[in-house]
Amino acid sequence: MVPTMVLVADDKQDARRGESLRELADAVAARGEAPVVSAFGSAAEVQAALDLVDGPKVLTPAYVAGGDVASAELFSGLRSADRGGVCATDPLGAVPSIVADLAGRLADEGWAPGDGVVLAADGGTGQAERQAVADVARMLSRRLDSPVQVGYLNSWAPTVADAVDRLRRGGRRVAIGAWRLVEDGDHERLRELGAAVTAPLWPADIVVDTLLARHRAAKARLAA
């Protein structure tokens, strides 16, 4: 039996975010590799959606590591529960193909060698998330052959605005690589900083490819 992929995220009552998450779920389901259930909303709503799924399940974060504080907190509560037939995957992090896609998005937005780069993350509650963001920044820096500063929107320091201002003091143009999976209100906050800003990582085929690859690995663990 193919385990159901349960995509999990807090939807923050944001219409753009909810629409983007549903489109992502539809794109994964369209591949036909596994049944897909959307579990987007509050902790109670996510748990209710999860309880309706029969058989083995793969809990799959619909966010990137360090890119969604609310969803990470929600997912942590689900992951800590002791349930048989359930496997949880890690949120997307420093995956080479995803970082390469982000580098391409920066170039598409007009970044050029010599310009400053800020990786804009949400933040998080744990060291693992901070490390994941740092790993993405290092990988992106190697790919661009340029330093990458990290800025945070909703926790930790420095803020994205501080990181952008620091780079601008040297008279450099600045581009912001948005370390976010889907469109939401926070993305508009990035645009207000007056720098070039990449679109969220979704839509992109590589996101669907990676989610399904992790589902296959989780399926093997459940079958072991």
Side-chain angles (χ1 to χ4, degrees), residues 107-129:
D108 290 343
E109 291 298 328
W111 175 85
D115 294 346
V117 181
V118 175
L119 179 69
D122 201 23
T125 57
Q127 182 58 35
E129 292 160 304

Side-chain angles (χ1 to χ4, degrees), residues 9 24 30-31 38 67 85 100 115 129-130 133 144-145 151 185 193 211 220:
L24 172 61
R31 294 286 185 91
S38 300
D115 294 346
E129 292 160 304
R130 185 185 287 271
V133 174
L144 296 175
D145 193 24
L193 295 175
L211 290 175

Side-chain angles (χ1 to χ4, degrees), residues 2 5 16 83 88 103 132-133 144 148 156-157 172 195 221:
V2 178
M5 179 190 291
R16 286 173 297 176
R83 300 185 183 90
V133 174
L144 296 175
V148 173
W156 300 334
R172 304 167 72 187
R221 291 197 298 273

Side-chain angles (χ1 to χ4, degrees), residues 157-204:
T159 66
V160 178
D162 287 344
V164 169
D165 287 345
R166 187 179 302 122
L167 289 170
R168 279 179 171 158
R169 289 189 198 117
R172 304 167 72 187
R173 295 196 315 161
V174 179
I176 299 173
W179 184 240
R180 311 188 71 76
L181 187 62
V182 298
E183 178 81 23
D184 60 21
D186 281 342
H187 216 87
E188 190 58 38
R189 292 169 57 194
L190 295 177
R191 296 189 182 101
E192 290 170 356
L193 295 175
V197 182
T198 65
L201 298 172
W202 167 255

Side-chain angles (χ1 to χ4, degrees), residues 12-219:
K12 295 183 180 177
Q13 305 302 311
D14 184 308
R16 286 173 297 176
R17 177 181 173 82
E19 182 179 357
S20 294
L21 287 168
R22 289 190 294 274
E23 289 174 352
L24 172 61
D26 289 345
V28 177
R31 294 286 185 91
E33 286 195 33
V36 177
V37 167
S38 300
F40 306 138
S42 66
E45 290 168 331
V46 169
Q47 186 61 60
L50 182 61
D51 290 342
L52 291 174
V53 181
D54 293 327
K57 312 168 189 64
V58 177
L59 302 183
T60 306
Y63 58 92
V64 293
D68 189 334
V69 173
S71 290
E73 291 176 347
L74 185 157
F75 194 82
S76 178
L78 294 175
R79 191 169 196 168
S80 63
D82 183 15
R83 300 185 183 90
V86 178
C87 183
T89 69
D90 292 329
L92 301 179
V95 178
S97 54
I98 290 178
V99 176
D101 182 72
L102 179 57
R105 289 167 184 260
L106 282 163
D108 290 343
E109 291 298 328
W111 175 85
D115 294 346
V117 181
V118 175
L119 179 69
D122 201 23
T125 57
Q127 182 58 35
E129 292 160 304
R130 185 185 287 271
Q131 186 61 54
V133 174
D135 290 344
V136 171
R138 281 194 294 270
M139 189 177 290
L140 183 61
S141 177
R142 288 196 299 270
R143 181 163 286 275
L144 296 175
D145 193 24
S146 174
V148 173
Q149 304 292 317
V150 177
Y152 297 101
L153 275 166
N154 294 311
S155 65
W156 300 334
T159 66
V160 178
D162 287 344
V164 169
D165 287 345
R166 187 179 302 122
L167 289 170
R168 279 179 171 158
R169 289 189 198 117
R172 304 167 72 187
R173 295 196 315 161
V174 179
I176 299 173
W179 184 240
R180 311 188 71 76
L181 187 62
V182 298
E183 178 81 23
D184 60 21
D186 281 342
H187 216 87
E188 190 58 38
R189 292 169 57 194
L190 295 177
R191 296 189 182 101
E192 290 170 356
L193 295 175
V197 182
T198 65
L201 298 172
W202 167 255
D205 287 343
I206 193 61
V207 170
V208 177
D209 294 342
T210 306
L211 290 175
L212 287 170
R214 295 194 171 192
H215 182 273
R216 288 191 291 271
K219 177 183 173 182

